[in-house]
Amino acid sequence: MHVELSTQDLDGLYAWMQETGIAVETPPHDRPWERVMVLRDPDGFRVEVSRGERQRNRPE
């Protein structure tokens, strides 16, 4: 199973997760088509969180 969510503030969400102790498997990083981070849910499923619109990697 693969779940992908999007947010307008990926780096802010990552900072909040770090502050609250939520484990992130892969910190935010750029791909040619998006900025993304990866975590696992309690059942071990991969959850991807990306910034903004799919297929776009644009600076804020």
Side-chain angles (χ1 to χ4, degrees):
M1 178 181 285
H2 175 94
V3 175
E4 184 170 348
L5 306 171
S6 67
T7 179
Q8 293 301 319
D9 187 8
L10 183 67
D11 294 303
L13 178 60
Y14 175 69
W16 175 81
M17 290 178 150
Q18 293 292 285
E19 291 171 9
T20 58
I22 297 171
V24 174
E25 184 173 292
T26 306
H29 61 282
D30 290 323
R31 292 182 178 164
W33 59 91
E34 68 184 349
R35 183 158 175 79
V36 64
M37 72 177 167
V38 178
L39 50 130
R40 298 274 175 178
D41 77 3
D43 293 319
F45 292 108
R46 179 182 167 99
V47 178
E48 238 180 57
V49 183
S50 63
R51 181 185 72 202
E53 298 174 45
R54 183 89 170 135
Q55 301 297 327
R56 293 183 187 243
N57 185 12
R58 54 190 165 152
E60 296 191 20

